[in-house]
Amino acid sequence: QSVLTQPPSVSAAPGQKVTISCSGSSSNIGNNYVSWYQHLPGTAPKLLIYENSLRPSGIPDRFAGSKSGTSATLGITGLQSGDEADYYCGAWDSSLSAGVFGGGTKLTVV
Amino acid sequence: EVQLVESGGGLVQPGGSLKLSCADSGLSFSTSWMSWVRQAPGRGLEWVATINQDGSEIFYVESVKGRFTISRDNPKNSLYLQMSSLRAEDTAVYYCARDRRLSTIFGVIMYFDYWGQGSLVTVSS
């Protein structure tokens, strides 16, 4: 299983808000920075959040990241059908000297 | 703008070798950390390897140590992944990505802001 733990799936109605959690440890999230990615099948992953809470240019403020202790959260407001995708958190793990990702969360907008 | 294009994927028998390439058409290749990330069928993203700007710092996921070698050629704006002793579990789409890695007093920043389209590697007899 993955070093970072995410729920396998989340769902919400269009226009609503959803949060995706990412749980780790002191060797990764607790002492390093978290990033988040959106991945649609057959395409390259897209960076949504870096350095825990910063958005690259072009990413709408409907996407927000936060971190507390050894956990991080991605929040998405005003859900749209186009937000249906897999979402991954990532961080450096200082004990493993390796990058680590969460197992991914499939978002369904129903 | 950075554009990454992978090549070299294909079908290989277990125990065989394959070399992936990633060409960067942008202007920042020689000043950037670069990484390989893979996704096996039905699985999530897995970080594979990272190399710094001049190749003096390299990290690998445990499962590929001793079998995979990441390298780069800055004058050619190219990143490589030499894979040997391939196993069925190495079957995946392999992405190259620009790694915005920075070590700070507050921790390591690592994120991937540009990705290639992916190259499929299938290990099967």
Side-chain angles (χ1 to χ4, degrees):
Chain A
Q1 61 268 34
S2 304
V3 173
L4 305 182
T5 301
Q6 297 180 235
S9 63
V10 295
S11 63
Q16 296 301 302
K17 173 183 177 178
V18 71
T19 60
I20 298 173
S21 61
C22 176
S23 178
S25 68
S26 60
S27 64
N28 42 68
I29 293 178
N31 285 288
N32 294 313
Y33 291 81
V34 179
S35 55
W36 289 91
Y37 305 86
Q38 179 190 65
H39 192 203
L40 293 161
T43 69
K46 175 193 286 187
L47 175 68
L48 293 177
I49 299 290
Y50 65 101
E51 293 183 34
N52 301 332
S53 60
L54 301 181
R55 283 187 309 275
S57 62
I59 300 301
D61 59 6
R62 300 189 299 108
F63 296 89
S66 63
K67 188 183 100 167
S68 178
T70 59
S71 293
T73 301
L74 174 69
I76 311 173
T77 59
L79 279 171
Q80 304 171 2
S81 59
D83 296 331
E84 286 201 337
D86 296 320
Y87 292 83
Y88 295 88
C89 57
W92 182 255
D93 190 297
S94 299
S95 294
L96 297 174
S97 290
V100 290
F101 285 102
T105 299
K106 183 175 182 61
L107 169 63
T108 302
V109 181
V110 293
Chain B
E1 178 168 308
V2 175
Q3 186 170 1
L4 303 173
V5 179
E6 299 99 339
S7 61
L11 175 64
V12 60
Q13 292 188 338
S17 299
L18 205 60
K19 186 173 185 177
L20 301 181
S21 300
C22 172
D24 181 353
S25 61
L27 301 177
S28 62
F29 182 81
S30 63
T31 61
S32 301
W33 285 73
M34 297 294 295
S35 290
W36 289 97
V37 176
R38 67 185 178 183
Q39 183 177 35
R43 306 289 296 274
L45 298 178
E46 180 183 36
W47 171 86
V48 175
T50 289
I51 186 169
N52 74 333
Q53 293 87 341
D54 64 4
S56 62
E57 289 187 74
I58 290 174
F59 302 96
Y60 297 100
V61 67
E62 190 65 33
S63 61
V64 309
K65 286 181 181 177
R67 301 188 301 121
F68 289 13
T69 301
I70 188 173
S71 63
R72 64 191 298 160
D73 186 332
N74 287 341
K76 293 184 178 179
N77 278 5
S78 292
L79 175 73
Y80 306 102
L81 186 67
Q82 176 68 53
M83 303 180 291
S84 60
S85 301
L86 282 161
R87 307 166 180 166
E89 54 264 37
D90 296 316
T91 294
V93 174
Y94 285 74
Y95 299 96
C96 67
R98 188 171 77 167
D99 183 346
R100 307 297 280 174
R101 179 188 172 88
L102 182 65
S103 293
T104 77
I105 61 172
F106 302 109
V108 174
I109 296 169
M110 182 194 76
Y111 62 93
F112 311 105
D113 58 353
Y114 288 97
W115 299 67
Q117 83 288 354
S119 183
L120 176 62
V121 173
T122 302
V123 183
S124 175
S125 54

